Amino acid sequence: MAKSKKPLSELEAFVLGLIWQFGPISPYDIRRHMQRSPSTQWSASAGAIYPLVRKLEKLGFIASKAERTDPRKRTVYRSTAKGKRALQMWLGPPLSPEAVTVTYDPLRTRVRFLGVLNSGEQMKWLTAAAKGLDEVEKKVKDWQQTYAQSGPFVLALTRNGELELETRRKWIGEVGKLLTAAAKRPT
Amino acid sequence: MAKSKKPLSELEAFVLGLIWQFGPISPYDIRRHMQRSPSTQWSASAGAIYPLVRKLEKLGFIASKAERTDPRKRTVYRSTAKGKRALQMWLGPPLSPEAVTVTYDPLRTRVRFLGVLNSGEQMKWLTAAAKGLDEVEKKVKDWQQTYAQSGPFVLALTRNGELELETRRKWIGEVGKLLTAAAKRPT
DNA sequence: CCGCTCATGTAACTGGTTACATGATTTA
DNA sequence: TAAATCATGTAACCAGTTACATGAGCGG
């Protein structure tokens, strides 16, 4: 049989996707691309990317081509037909279980435990959080500018960034109101 | 000096937070609590929780008490004053870098590469994604019901779930419109 | 009494990070 | 020519997962 390959990890699929989308591309450029992204989901470390790319090649999902040899070598990769199919499989439908899950928002995790601070500190925390979101917005806008007008999918990402930020801001604001209301109503 | 302890990991802080919030509580109950949460961020595996709890105890952040001994033992933990301070430190302000970052949304990652599917498949994917969000909503609502009326912080989480879901739905819808528009306008 | 849940635990693994190294090439 | 960047690589580590084991107690 041999058909039972285990599914790609999120990082593997992401790198394969980038190679499919921007290939021919070098691991070094993949790393820079990831480092410039506002997301901190992955470190984009050499220790992750280079071995991963070699693995994808061994799987036959991507093919390498030496662009400049020996001294200052540079190897670029592009997706193979098999790689494209693997990416399509990964995308689905059906959507894999980890594709459909609640988002992970570190601010949400923290609000869960805001009760460990006193009322005054809670308000300070919320102010700091709002300021943090301003920083995030800057980074997102930077990213958007560099990758502007790259088709409907980048536009979709841009739009996601806007909506997401708006929602988080609104929520932080509501949490503030909730807490002041709770503080006034003594137990 | 010895004052330069490295910061808590997200999981460590989360578990410490749960112990502070619900303690005295057993590692077993922590696991169940996490398993019931709609988030799939952590596996809540025994291999993660039990060693972690012992680590927190060794750090002096929590204290144990044997609730039932030897046969069918049950050990419960509660937060110490030091643990509470550690939790407050972790929360901030200042907010740690990983606290203020864009959310991680696996659907967003996937939309990035939707171009690998043809137009028809793209629409099917979006339909499947929307259906997936319905599932997420069910899970979130279940969770909300079990933990209803537990103070302003749970209320804040509930509200976050609502807003988040609404935003993701809206976004998926917009992506659909974006793509149909792009499909009609040839090149 | 059989199967399920309670409750704790560990050994092996894995995916990814940190931190470093190398050498060529470009820029100030 | 010194410093920064390009480009690739690896060794040591770490946090968390998978999968399994143990034994007590409870419900049908």
Side-chain angles (χ1 to χ4, degrees):
Chain A
M1 28 174 299
K3 199 68 184 181
S4 66
K5 316 140 185 180
K6 74 169 144 178
L8 295 168
S9 78
E10 288 287 301
L11 179 57
E12 281 166 357
F14 186 69
V15 168
L16 175 57
L18 288 183
I19 292 171
W20 165 78
Q21 202 164 56
F22 298 113
I25 186 175
S26 72
Y28 184 84
D29 288 329
I30 294 172
R31 288 188 60 209
R32 276 202 317 187
H33 187 98
M34 292 177 73
Q35 279 159 2
R36 278 167 192 166
S37 140
S39 164
T40 55
Q41 187 173 171
W42 295 293
S43 76
S45 66
I49 303 302
Y50 285 95
L52 195 158
V53 162
R54 287 196 295 267
K55 185 184 170 187
L56 288 178
E57 187 179 23
K58 199 146 67 181
L59 286 169
F61 293 164
I62 59 177
S64 65
K65 200 180 96 185
E67 225 191 38
R68 221 184 314 180
T69 22
D70 239 32
R72 184 140 199 183
K73 66 180 160 184
R74 184 182 142 93
T75 316
V76 290
Y77 294 84
R78 53 170 187 76
S79 158
T80 62
K82 194 176 169 188
K84 190 181 172 186
R85 280 197 302 274
L87 190 60
Q88 289 166 336
M89 285 289 291
W90 172 77
L91 261 182
L95 275 70
S96 69
E98 69 262 37
V100 189
T101 182
V102 299
T103 60
Y104 161 44
D105 181 348
L107 288 181
R108 190 210 300 135
T109 309
R110 279 157 183 76
V111 164
R112 194 178 209 129
F113 305 122
L114 259 191
V116 83
L117 304 178
N118 68 41
S119 259
E121 289 167 334
Q122 284 173 14
M123 291 308 142
K124 275 183 206 156
W125 189 92
L126 289 169
T127 312
K131 208 177 277 181
L133 290 179
D134 293 345
E135 292 302 313
V136 172
E137 183 174 36
K138 255 182 232 162
K139 282 183 213 160
V140 171
K141 280 204 172 146
D142 271 12
W143 182 89
Q144 286 172 359
Q145 231 160 347
T146 8
Y147 292 88
Q149 282 109 358
S150 311
F153 302 105
V154 169
L155 223 157
L157 293 190
T158 297
R159 184 62 182 141
N160 182 276
E162 280 173 23
L163 287 174
E164 186 74 50
L165 208 66
E166 195 187 311
T167 304
R168 289 173 97 195
R169 279 226 180 85
K170 187 178 170 188
W171 178 62
I172 287 289
E174 288 189 12
V175 172
K177 271 177 233 159
L178 234 73
L179 294 185
T180 40
K184 265 174 199 155
R185 180 173 10 86
T187 314
Chain B
M1 28 173 298
K3 199 71 183 179
S4 66
K5 315 139 186 181
K6 73 169 145 178
L8 296 168
S9 77
E10 290 287 302
L11 179 57
E12 281 164 359
F14 186 69
V15 168
L16 175 57
L18 288 183
I19 292 170
W20 165 79
Q21 202 163 56
F22 299 113
I25 185 175
S26 71
Y28 184 85
D29 288 328
I30 295 172
R31 288 189 61 209
R32 276 201 317 187
H33 188 98
M34 292 177 73
Q35 280 160 2
R36 278 167 192 167
S37 139
S39 163
T40 55
Q41 187 173 173
W42 294 295
S43 76
S45 66
I49 302 303
Y50 286 94
L52 195 157
V53 162
R54 288 196 295 267
K55 186 185 169 186
L56 288 177
E57 187 178 23
K58 197 147 68 182
L59 285 169
F61 293 163
I62 59 177
S64 64
K65 200 181 98 185
E67 225 191 37
R68 219 184 315 181
T69 21
D70 239 32
R72 184 139 200 185
K73 67 179 158 184
R74 183 181 142 92
T75 316
V76 290
Y77 294 84
R78 52 169 187 78
S79 159
T80 63
K82 193 176 171 189
K84 189 181 173 186
R85 279 197 303 275
L87 190 60
Q88 288 167 337
M89 285 289 290
W90 172 77
L91 260 182
L95 274 70
S96 68
E98 69 262 38
V100 190
T101 181
V102 299
T103 61
Y104 162 44
D105 181 348
L107 288 181
R108 191 210 299 135
T109 309
R110 279 155 182 78
V111 163
R112 195 178 208 130
F113 304 122
L114 259 192
V116 83
L117 303 179
N118 67 42
S119 260
E121 289 167 334
Q122 283 173 15
M123 291 308 141
K124 275 183 204 155
W125 189 92
L126 288 169
T127 312
K131 208 178 276 180
L133 289 180
D134 293 346
E135 290 302 314
V136 172
E137 184 174 35
K138 254 181 233 161
K139 282 184 213 159
V140 171
K141 281 204 171 145
D142 271 13
W143 182 89
Q144 286 172 359
Q145 230 161 346
T146 8
Y147 292 88
Q149 282 110 357
S150 311
F153 301 105
V154 169
L155 222 158
L157 294 191
T158 297
R159 183 63 182 139
N160 181 276
E162 280 173 24
L163 286 173
E164 186 74 51
L165 209 65
E166 196 187 311
T167 304
R168 290 173 96 195
R169 280 226 179 85
K170 187 178 170 189
W171 178 62
I172 288 289
E174 286 190 14
V175 172
K177 271 177 232 159
L178 233 74
L179 294 186
T180 40
K184 267 176 198 153
R185 179 172 13 85
T187 313

PDB file of all heavy atoms in Angstrom, chain B residues 59-75:
ATOM      1  N   LEU B  59       9.372  25.103  41.934  1.00  0.00           N
ATOM      2  CA  LEU B  59       9.641  26.541  41.847  1.00  0.00           C
ATOM      3  C   LEU B  59       8.997  27.310  42.997  1.00  0.00           C
ATOM      4  O   LEU B  59       9.232  28.500  43.174  1.00  0.00           O
ATOM      5  CB  LEU B  59       9.126  27.088  40.507  1.00  0.00           C
ATOM      6  CG  LEU B  59       9.948  26.758  39.265  1.00  0.00           C
ATOM      7  CD1 LEU B  59       9.190  27.122  37.992  1.00  0.00           C
ATOM      8  CD2 LEU B  59      11.293  27.485  39.303  1.00  0.00           C
ATOM      9  N   GLY B  60       8.142  26.649  43.733  1.00  0.00           N
ATOM     10  CA  GLY B  60       7.484  27.296  44.864  1.00  0.00           C
ATOM     11  C   GLY B  60       6.244  28.094  44.469  1.00  0.00           C
ATOM     12  O   GLY B  60       5.725  28.870  45.261  1.00  0.00           O
ATOM     13  N   PHE B  61       5.757  27.881  43.255  1.00  0.00           N
ATOM     14  CA  PHE B  61       4.594  28.633  42.785  1.00  0.00           C
ATOM     15  C   PHE B  61       3.283  28.001  43.248  1.00  0.00           C
ATOM     16  O   PHE B  61       2.260  28.679  43.315  1.00  0.00           O
ATOM     17  CB  PHE B  61       4.592  28.739  41.264  1.00  0.00           C
ATOM     18  CG  PHE B  61       5.706  29.576  40.725  1.00  0.00           C
ATOM     19  CD1 PHE B  61       6.063  29.505  39.376  1.00  0.00           C
ATOM     20  CD2 PHE B  61       6.413  30.444  41.546  1.00  0.00           C
ATOM     21  CE1 PHE B  61       7.091  30.280  38.880  1.00  0.00           C
ATOM     22  CE2 PHE B  61       7.442  31.225  41.044  1.00  0.00           C
ATOM     23  CZ  PHE B  61       7.783  31.136  39.711  1.00  0.00           C
ATOM     24  N   ILE B  62       3.317  26.730  43.524  1.00  0.00           N
ATOM     25  CA  ILE B  62       2.123  26.039  43.987  1.00  0.00           C
ATOM     26  C   ILE B  62       2.520  25.093  45.124  1.00  0.00           C
ATOM     27  O   ILE B  62       3.688  24.730  45.255  1.00  0.00           O
ATOM     28  CB  ILE B  62       1.431  25.233  42.859  1.00  0.00           C
ATOM     29  CG1 ILE B  62       2.396  24.188  42.291  1.00  0.00           C
ATOM     30  CG2 ILE B  62       0.947  26.141  41.758  1.00  0.00           C
ATOM     31  CD1 ILE B  62       1.770  23.298  41.234  1.00  0.00           C
ATOM     32  N   ALA B  63       1.539  24.742  45.939  1.00  0.00           N
ATOM     33  CA  ALA B  63       1.789  23.823  47.043  1.00  0.00           C
ATOM     34  C   ALA B  63       0.817  22.662  46.948  1.00  0.00           C
ATOM     35  O   ALA B  63      -0.345  22.838  46.568  1.00  0.00           O
ATOM     36  CB  ALA B  63       1.616  24.547  48.377  1.00  0.00           C
ATOM     37  N   SER B  64       1.298  21.479  47.281  1.00  0.00           N
ATOM     38  CA  SER B  64       0.467  20.285  47.133  1.00  0.00           C
ATOM     39  C   SER B  64      -0.114  19.871  48.483  1.00  0.00           C
ATOM     40  O   SER B  64       0.402  20.213  49.550  1.00  0.00           O
ATOM     41  CB  SER B  64       1.283  19.136  46.563  1.00  0.00           C
ATOM     42  OG  SER B  64       2.294  18.774  47.480  1.00  0.00           O
ATOM     43  N   LYS B  65      -1.196  19.129  48.419  1.00  0.00           N
ATOM     44  CA  LYS B  65      -1.795  18.550  49.606  1.00  0.00           C
ATOM     45  C   LYS B  65      -2.424  17.230  49.199  1.00  0.00           C
ATOM     46  O   LYS B  65      -3.181  17.181  48.228  1.00  0.00           O
ATOM     47  CB  LYS B  65      -2.863  19.493  50.174  1.00  0.00           C
ATOM     48  CG  LYS B  65      -3.198  19.226  51.639  1.00  0.00           C
ATOM     49  CD  LYS B  65      -4.272  20.191  52.110  1.00  0.00           C
ATOM     50  CE  LYS B  65      -5.646  19.545  52.056  1.00  0.00           C
ATOM     51  NZ  LYS B  65      -6.729  20.468  52.400  1.00  0.00           N
ATOM     52  N   ALA B  66      -2.076  16.182  49.887  1.00  0.00           N
ATOM     53  CA  ALA B  66      -2.641  14.869  49.566  1.00  0.00           C
ATOM     54  C   ALA B  66      -4.063  14.812  50.066  1.00  0.00           C
ATOM     55  O   ALA B  66      -4.314  14.943  51.263  1.00  0.00           O
ATOM     56  CB  ALA B  66      -1.799  13.768  50.195  1.00  0.00           C
ATOM     57  N   GLU B  67      -5.018  14.621  49.158  1.00  0.00           N
ATOM     58  CA  GLU B  67      -6.414  14.655  49.568  1.00  0.00           C
ATOM     59  C   GLU B  67      -6.897  13.268  49.958  1.00  0.00           C
ATOM     60  O   GLU B  67      -7.769  13.116  50.796  1.00  0.00           O
ATOM     61  CB  GLU B  67      -7.278  15.208  48.441  1.00  0.00           C
ATOM     62  CG  GLU B  67      -8.272  16.235  48.949  1.00  0.00           C
ATOM     63  CD  GLU B  67      -9.289  16.564  47.891  1.00  0.00           C
ATOM     64  OE1 GLU B  67      -9.701  15.657  47.135  1.00  0.00           O
ATOM     65  OE2 GLU B  67      -9.669  17.732  47.805  1.00  0.00           O
ATOM     66  N   ARG B  68      -6.333  12.297  49.293  1.00  0.00           N
ATOM     67  CA  ARG B  68      -6.634  10.918  49.631  1.00  0.00           C
ATOM     68  C   ARG B  68      -5.326  10.190  49.420  1.00  0.00           C
ATOM     69  O   ARG B  68      -4.673  10.390  48.385  1.00  0.00           O
ATOM     70  CB  ARG B  68      -7.713  10.369  48.698  1.00  0.00           C
ATOM     71  CG  ARG B  68      -8.695   9.483  49.431  1.00  0.00           C
ATOM     72  CD  ARG B  68      -9.705   8.861  48.496  1.00  0.00           C
ATOM     73  NE  ARG B  68     -10.269   9.801  47.508  1.00  0.00           N
ATOM     74  CZ  ARG B  68     -11.204   9.419  46.612  1.00  0.00           C
ATOM     75  NH1 ARG B  68     -11.626   8.174  46.592  1.00  0.00           N
ATOM     76  NH2 ARG B  68     -11.674  10.269  45.740  1.00  0.00           N
ATOM     77  N   THR B  69      -4.933   9.370  50.349  1.00  0.00           N
ATOM     78  CA  THR B  69      -3.568   8.842  50.261  1.00  0.00           C
ATOM     79  C   THR B  69      -3.510   7.436  49.707  1.00  0.00           C
ATOM     80  O   THR B  69      -4.515   6.792  49.478  1.00  0.00           O
ATOM     81  CB  THR B  69      -2.861   8.904  51.630  1.00  0.00           C
ATOM     82  OG1 THR B  69      -3.838   8.992  52.655  1.00  0.00           O
ATOM     83  CG2 THR B  69      -1.965  10.131  51.693  1.00  0.00           C
ATOM     84  N   ASP B  70      -2.329   7.024  49.523  1.00  0.00           N
ATOM     85  CA  ASP B  70      -1.878   5.738  48.989  1.00  0.00           C
ATOM     86  C   ASP B  70      -2.784   5.045  47.976  1.00  0.00           C
ATOM     87  O   ASP B  70      -2.641   5.313  46.807  1.00  0.00           O
ATOM     88  CB  ASP B  70      -1.456   4.820  50.133  1.00  0.00           C
ATOM     89  CG  ASP B  70       0.001   4.453  49.906  1.00  0.00           C
ATOM     90  OD1 ASP B  70       0.711   5.299  49.351  1.00  0.00           O
ATOM     91  OD2 ASP B  70       0.414   3.334  50.237  1.00  0.00           O
ATOM     92  N   PRO B  71      -3.704   4.172  48.381  1.00  0.00           N
ATOM     93  CA  PRO B  71      -4.468   3.570  47.304  1.00  0.00           C
ATOM     94  C   PRO B  71      -5.371   4.662  46.761  1.00  0.00           C
ATOM     95  O   PRO B  71      -5.913   5.460  47.534  1.00  0.00           O
ATOM     96  CB  PRO B  71      -5.270   2.476  48.001  1.00  0.00           C
ATOM     97  CG  PRO B  71      -5.381   2.945  49.409  1.00  0.00           C
ATOM     98  CD  PRO B  71      -4.257   3.883  49.701  1.00  0.00           C
ATOM     99  N   ARG B  72      -5.511   4.709  45.483  1.00  0.00           N
ATOM    100  CA  ARG B  72      -6.293   5.778  44.846  1.00  0.00           C
ATOM    101  C   ARG B  72      -5.936   7.153  45.402  1.00  0.00           C
ATOM    102  O   ARG B  72      -6.785   7.884  45.910  1.00  0.00           O
ATOM    103  CB  ARG B  72      -7.775   5.515  45.035  1.00  0.00           C
ATOM    104  CG  ARG B  72      -8.617   6.535  44.326  1.00  0.00           C
ATOM    105  CD  ARG B  72      -9.787   5.890  43.658  1.00  0.00           C
ATOM    106  NE  ARG B  72     -10.335   6.742  42.622  1.00  0.00           N
ATOM    107  CZ  ARG B  72     -11.420   6.443  41.966  1.00  0.00           C
ATOM    108  NH1 ARG B  72     -12.036   5.323  42.191  1.00  0.00           N
ATOM    109  NH2 ARG B  72     -11.861   7.231  41.036  1.00  0.00           N
ATOM    110  N   LYS B  73      -4.687   7.479  45.334  1.00  0.00           N
ATOM    111  CA  LYS B  73      -4.248   8.785  45.838  1.00  0.00           C
ATOM    112  C   LYS B  73      -4.783   9.923  44.962  1.00  0.00           C
ATOM    113  O   LYS B  73      -5.088   9.720  43.780  1.00  0.00           O
ATOM    114  CB  LYS B  73      -2.728   8.852  45.886  1.00  0.00           C
ATOM    115  CG  LYS B  73      -2.050   8.835  44.537  1.00  0.00           C
ATOM    116  CD  LYS B  73      -0.546   8.933  44.728  1.00  0.00           C
ATOM    117  CE  LYS B  73       0.158   8.373  43.480  1.00  0.00           C
ATOM    118  NZ  LYS B  73       1.602   8.335  43.618  1.00  0.00           N
ATOM    119  N   ARG B  74      -4.880  11.056  45.556  1.00  0.00           N
ATOM    120  CA  ARG B  74      -5.319  12.243  44.827  1.00  0.00           C
ATOM    121  C   ARG B  74      -4.617  13.423  45.447  1.00  0.00           C
ATOM    122  O   ARG B  74      -4.757  13.689  46.634  1.00  0.00           O
ATOM    123  CB  ARG B  74      -6.835  12.399  44.940  1.00  0.00           C
ATOM    124  CG  ARG B  74      -7.398  13.565  44.149  1.00  0.00           C
ATOM    125  CD  ARG B  74      -8.914  13.647  44.363  1.00  0.00           C
ATOM    126  NE  ARG B  74      -9.331  15.040  44.444  1.00  0.00           N
ATOM    127  CZ  ARG B  74      -9.740  15.746  43.379  1.00  0.00           C
ATOM    128  NH1 ARG B  74      -9.809  15.190  42.210  1.00  0.00           N
ATOM    129  NH2 ARG B  74     -10.099  17.007  43.528  1.00  0.00           N
ATOM    130  N   THR B  75      -3.845  14.109  44.641  1.00  0.00           N
ATOM    131  CA  THR B  75      -3.079  15.250  45.138  1.00  0.00           C
ATOM    132  C   THR B  75      -3.651  16.527  44.553  1.00  0.00           C
ATOM    133  O   THR B  75      -3.808  16.634  43.344  1.00  0.00           O
ATOM    134  CB  THR B  75      -1.599  15.136  44.728  1.00  0.00           C
ATOM    135  OG1 THR B  75      -1.166  13.783  44.941  1.00  0.00           O
ATOM    136  CG2 THR B  75      -0.741  16.083  45.532  1.00  0.00           C
TER     137      THR B  75
END
